[in-house]
Amino acid sequence: MADARSERTILLLVAAVQFVNLLDVMMVMPLGPDLARGLGIAVSDLGLVGGSYTAAAALSGVAAALFLDRFDRRAALAVAMVGLVLGTAAGGLATGLPTLLAARVIAGAFGGPAAAISLSIVADVTPPERRGKAMGFVMGAYSFAAVLGVPAGLELARRGGFQVPFFAVAGLGLLVAGLAIVLLPSLRGHLASTRDPLDGAQVPGSALRELRALVGRPLVALSYLTTATLMMASFLIIPNISAYVQGNLGYPRERLGLLYLAGGALTFVVMRTAGPMLDRFGAFRTSLAGVALLAAVLYAGFHAYVPGLPVIGVFAAFMTGTTICNISYSTLASKVPLPSERARFASIQSAVQHLASALAAILSARMLRELPDGRLGGMEGVAALAITFTLLSSPLFLWIERRVAVELASRARPLEPLARGR
């Protein structure tokens, strides 16, 4: 554990890493129409751009779960950040769809592990009684990326072309990587758990055996299924939302940053208020509010657009519903693994998130088509599928919550005789 001052410095650095990582992902989707115009890409193929990143992040997440814990966190983070910077900068040098996809694959291959390492560092340096607050601080980077980063990236693209945001994020990432290398202490305390207690040698194959045991448990498998369901519901829409509101709903490009500013600010408020709701009502009942809102806005805003419905209201409602569902599930999922399994569980969960996101983005790209007038055709079917996944998440929430309650009770039961004997 670090002292208080060092802990604050580390958390600030980790939050900065998360900000760059999230901004790299989030800015590409609203830049879709700009990329289409600048590189001659069909609007209906934009889902492939987001899907290539998430597919690469998913594959690297599975691989990283086997070896990341065997290296100094600082060194591992430095390598991941440098790779992310190179992949992001390559996006600004893209000349067409193939080169852009290659750049996003490189960024995803390093961005996924960078996120996993960042959260591992938080757990390494903060005691359990402060870890929730620390995680909340670091995850707040999502809101800042939406409120500050995405509008800034859109404005840079409007003034200087789609290449400028890629280079700007790469430059910021290089600065953050340098600060992390200089200011982060060496973090090697976790390495003791991978060594033989008798001779200190590395224990071969132990990570693979532990990983198989984890993913083989029914409750863990059910949890990963719920992760995939929620990601499919969101990422059928997210990669195409910028093109949809501009082409189908007539929202002006110059005001696109306002959507992300309003949506990000609202998400920040939701993240601050959802915690007390979860503590009071539980994950399942809290998630019902998100499911109902998300299903309603998917129907009224995307499946059968209601004339006169404000675009900014559709966008804000979509982000709010998605945020409530995701926060509810993250809270519930944190209770699934044993304390000794949390890092492995989170690594595979991240891989499942990226894989499901990639599948949804690619599926939506195949279902959509660009019409002669610039609108996206096929959004009705994509929205209907997203509604199906959204509604499917509710029984999964309930099932997991009940199974978790049973498991927590069974874990506590052996301690009861000892407590009575004291």
Side-chain angles (χ1 to χ4, degrees):
M1 299 293 177
D3 59 62
R5 183 175 180 180
S6 177
E7 182 181 311
R8 286 194 297 270
T9 300
I10 293 172
L11 291 179
L12 281 171
L13 286 170
V14 171
V17 168
Q18 289 290 82
F19 175 79
V20 172
N21 201 357
L22 288 165
L23 183 55
D24 174 79
V25 180
M26 295 174 67
M27 74 172 184
V28 173
M29 291 175 282
L31 282 175
D34 298 63
L35 294 171
R37 288 189 294 269
L39 296 175
I41 300 172
V43 175
S44 57
D45 285 335
L46 290 175
L48 298 175
V49 179
S52 61
Y53 177 99
T54 50
L59 294 176
S60 65
V62 173
L66 298 174
F67 64 81
L68 271 185
D69 282 331
R70 300 182 183 275
F71 296 95
D72 187 313
R73 304 281 197 218
R74 180 178 63 182
L77 182 63
V79 172
M81 283 299 294
V82 170
L84 176 62
V85 165
L86 291 176
T88 304
L93 300 174
T95 57
L97 182 60
T99 51
L100 181 61
L101 292 179
R104 297 313 294 160
V105 166
I106 295 172
F110 289 95
I117 297 166
S118 298
L119 297 180
S120 298
I121 289 174
V122 176
D124 286 344
V125 303
T126 56
E129 61 269 18
R130 293 202 305 272
R131 196 164 297 157
K133 182 179 179 181
M135 286 288 188
F137 174 79
V138 171
M139 291 178 68
Y142 175 88
S143 296
F144 283 105
V147 172
L148 301 177
V150 173
L154 288 168
E155 184 62 20
L156 288 174
R158 190 176 71 86
R159 292 176 178 270
F162 77 87
Q163 300 92 341
V164 179
F166 284 100
F167 294 141
V169 174
L172 181 60
L174 191 61
L175 174 63
V176 171
L179 290 174
I181 293 171
V182 172
L183 298 179
L184 271 181
S186 178
L187 297 169
R188 302 173 59 87
H190 61 285
L191 297 178
S193 62
T194 65
R195 297 184 180 276
D196 189 292
L198 297 179
D199 59 11
Q202 291 286 341
V203 181
S206 60
L208 184 58
R209 288 196 301 270
E210 292 168 347
L211 196 58
R212 287 174 176 170
L214 174 68
V215 299
R217 295 215 308 271
L219 180 57
V220 171
L222 184 62
S223 178
Y224 291 152
L225 174 62
T226 308
T227 298
T229 300
L230 288 173
M231 290 300 102
M232 290 291 291
S234 299
F235 275 83
L236 283 165
I237 301 296
I238 288 174
N240 308 293
I241 196 169
S242 177
Y244 174 74
V245 298
Q246 291 180 73
N248 293 52
L249 305 185
Y251 195 80
R253 166 62 179 84
E254 60 271 15
R255 297 180 61 192
L256 192 59
L258 178 62
L259 287 183
Y260 287 87
L261 178 63
L266 186 58
T267 299
F268 181 77
V269 174
V270 171
M271 291 178 69
R272 298 281 293 181
T273 57
M277 290 177 59
L278 286 163
D279 292 337
R280 182 175 180 181
F281 301 112
F284 168 66
R285 286 195 286 177
T286 302
S287 73
L288 289 178
V291 167
L293 178 59
L294 187 55
V297 73
L298 285 171
Y299 181 82
F302 297 88
H303 178 72
Y305 179 70
V306 177
L309 199 62
V311 175
I312 195 167
V314 170
F315 189 85
F318 175 79
M319 290 193 69
T320 299
T322 301
T323 298
I324 293 174
C325 290
N326 289 339
I327 291 178
S328 299
Y329 177 68
S330 296
T331 303
L332 181 59
S334 68
K335 303 174 183 178
V336 171
L338 296 168
S340 59
E341 301 171 332
R342 285 173 183 157
R344 291 189 296 277
F345 177 85
S347 296
I348 299 300
Q349 184 182 46
S350 175
V352 172
Q353 287 174 337
H354 284 110
L355 187 60
S357 300
L359 178 61
I362 294 170
L363 180 59
S364 69
R366 298 281 71 89
M367 294 176 67
L368 294 171
R369 63 192 183 279
E370 185 176 3
L371 301 177
D373 59 2
R375 293 183 300 117
L376 277 180
M379 183 58 78
E380 298 87 355
V382 172
L385 188 57
I387 291 171
T388 301
F389 280 111
T390 299
L391 297 177
L392 179 61
S393 68
S394 282
L396 292 173
F397 265 95
L398 180 60
W399 195 0
I400 293 175
E401 190 166 72
R402 288 179 174 177
R403 290 283 299 272
V404 164
V406 171
E407 287 210 0
L408 290 177
S410 66
R411 293 173 195 171
R413 198 169 296 126
L415 300 177
E416 292 175 359
L418 177 59
R420 288 196 298 267
R422 287 181 178 175

